Amino acid sequence: MTLTKKLMGGAAATAIAVSGALPALAAEKWDMPMAYSASNFHSENGVQFAECVTDGTGGEIEITVHPGGSLFAGADIKRAIQTGQVQIGERLMSGHQNENAVFGFDSVPFLAPSFEASAKLFEAARPKMDELLGEQNLVMLYAVPWPPQGLYFNKEVNSVADMEGTKFRSYNNATSRFAELTGMLPVTIEAAEISQAFATGVAESMISSGATGYDRKVWESLSHFYEVDAWLPYNYVMVNKDIWDGVSEENREVITGCAEEAGARGLQASKDYTQFTMDGLREGGMTVEPAGDELMGELREIGETMTNEWLEAAGEDGAAIVDAYKGMN
């Protein structure tokens, strides 16, 4: 595709030229499960990445994307890659926080509540993430942040007291703990199940980006979105390390180049999608506005509690990440 030639550059472009000059080989087929809907910007970015790799390797590696949890549910994707059931895939990074608290660095409330701050926090955490994943037979190729997280409800909420007893969709340890501290009732629900959960009353609230709400048309069940910019969680694409070690140097350069482009493209898409989805929620009939002063004050107090708890759980590694991040500011 001509899209790849526009995206690729430097060493990756050289790799394309080299691979194109070699005799055609039987394609190595990789399956790439993703948890979010095909229309979500993460999934669309993943498809472009896959096309870039397939084209850039001259068809030697063909990647097929399986969005919407259609091949593996989100919670099962990482294990499927580790064990070689699939070669590559995408998962929410903080979804692994139960394995090691450090995986939740991007979900510490109000630590890095903007795209700029989030990028610095990710840079500070990347070496430790690579080390942890390497121990689990995984290699991170690229990561993309979601837009800032806000609160969804089916009613007006002005204080934490208004949240008490609400059934709250959780997607990682941080969101479950957030529910507990606000008096809500956490219910674990994968992204692919959100629409049904709200429609049937299994959940009544969540903390998520405007992108998730827009993609799932939550205005059909919910009425309010409060902008609180709590954190920007990352999705990341990883490959089985044994598979990666077996890829030729030329094709690794191609894949690395495609991954760099996907990371930059995904970040810009996330930024662009932020306002677009806010407008979309409004057009759907939802009230979209910043949280009030009373609510924000209470949320920040909860954030301090969660920050201290995370630092205790993550130990020296977590403290080193936060110190490195603060040193960049």
Side-chain angles (χ1 to χ4, degrees):
M1 292 178 59
T2 56
L3 172 62
T4 302
K5 294 179 181 178
K6 294 179 181 178
L7 294 178
M8 301 294 293
T14 301
I16 293 174
V18 171
S19 63
L22 295 174
L25 300 175
E28 184 177 341
K29 298 184 183 297
W30 290 9
D31 288 307
M32 182 174 170
M34 305 182 79
Y36 298 87
S37 66
S39 62
N40 182 270
F41 76 95
H42 284 290
S43 299
E44 291 177 342
N45 192 34
V47 169
Q48 289 181 274
F49 165 76
E51 291 174 346
C52 180
V53 171
T54 299
D55 189 50
T57 61
E60 290 182 16
I61 297 175
E62 293 183 2
I63 300 181
T64 300
V65 175
H66 303 271
S70 58
L71 189 60
F72 288 96
D76 300 325
I77 289 175
K78 177 169 173 281
R79 174 61 61 181
I81 304 168
Q82 282 179 274
T83 57
Q85 296 177 73
V86 294
Q87 297 80 7
I88 190 171
E90 181 188 64
R91 177 61 173 147
L92 181 73
M93 187 171 293
S94 56
H96 312 145
Q97 193 172 345
N98 60 328
E99 300 175 19
N100 188 312
V102 175
F103 279 116
F105 75 90
D106 61 356
S107 298
V108 179
F110 308 112
L111 176 61
S114 69
F115 282 104
E116 181 181 5
S118 174
K120 292 178 180 178
L121 180 60
F122 181 82
E123 180 182 349
R126 179 70 189 257
K128 187 60 184 179
M129 291 299 100
D130 287 337
E131 177 186 335
L132 289 175
L133 291 170
E135 293 170 355
Q136 298 179 341
N137 198 37
L138 296 166
V139 175
M140 187 192 311
L141 294 179
Y142 71 88
V144 173
W146 286 89
Q149 305 289 281
L151 285 165
Y152 290 85
F153 290 97
N154 61 357
K155 61 181 180 180
E156 181 178 344
V157 171
N158 296 307
S159 67
V160 168
D162 294 337
M163 303 180 185
E164 188 173 354
T166 301
K167 287 176 283 188
F168 180 84
R169 177 246 173 172
S170 64
Y171 60 78
N172 60 13
N173 289 18
T175 50
S176 294
R177 182 59 175 149
F178 176 81
E180 293 171 357
L181 291 171
T182 55
M184 295 190 286
L185 308 174
V187 183
T188 301
I189 298 169
E190 286 289 340
E193 303 166 346
I194 287 176
S195 299
Q196 182 179 7
F198 286 127
T200 57
V202 172
E204 303 166 303
S205 174
M206 68 176 176
I207 186 166
S208 194
S209 68
T212 300
Y214 179 80
D215 289 342
R216 293 298 171 182
K217 300 180 180 180
V218 298
W219 54 81
E220 296 176 351
S221 303
L222 305 179
S223 59
H224 287 71
F225 178 83
Y226 293 101
E227 301 169 61
V228 300
D229 296 350
W231 60 77
L232 287 75
Y234 277 79
N235 277 13
Y236 71 109
V237 168
M238 61 198 126
V239 62
N240 178 284
K241 189 176 185 299
D242 292 333
I243 297 291
W244 182 248
D245 289 344
V247 174
S248 70
E249 182 177 350
E250 292 83 0
N251 284 343
R252 276 201 219 175
E253 289 181 356
V254 170
I255 295 170
T256 299
C258 291
E260 290 175 354
E261 295 289 351
R265 182 176 58 238
L267 174 59
Q268 188 58 53
S270 187
K271 292 178 178 179
D272 294 342
Y273 214 41
T274 300
Q275 188 59 51
F276 174 81
T277 54
M278 294 294 98
D279 294 341
L281 294 176
R282 290 189 180 93
E283 291 171 5
M286 294 189 72
T287 298
V288 178
E289 61 188 14
D293 291 342
E294 179 181 358
L295 178 57
M296 279 304 304
E298 293 173 333
L299 292 178
R300 291 191 182 281
E301 289 180 6
I302 289 171
E304 290 179 7
T305 297
M306 290 180 64
T307 298
N308 292 333
E309 290 177 349
W310 180 79
L311 285 169
E312 182 177 355
E316 293 181 2
D317 290 335
I321 290 172
V322 172
D323 288 345
Y325 162 65
K326 290 182 176 179
M328 298 177 188
N329 297 319

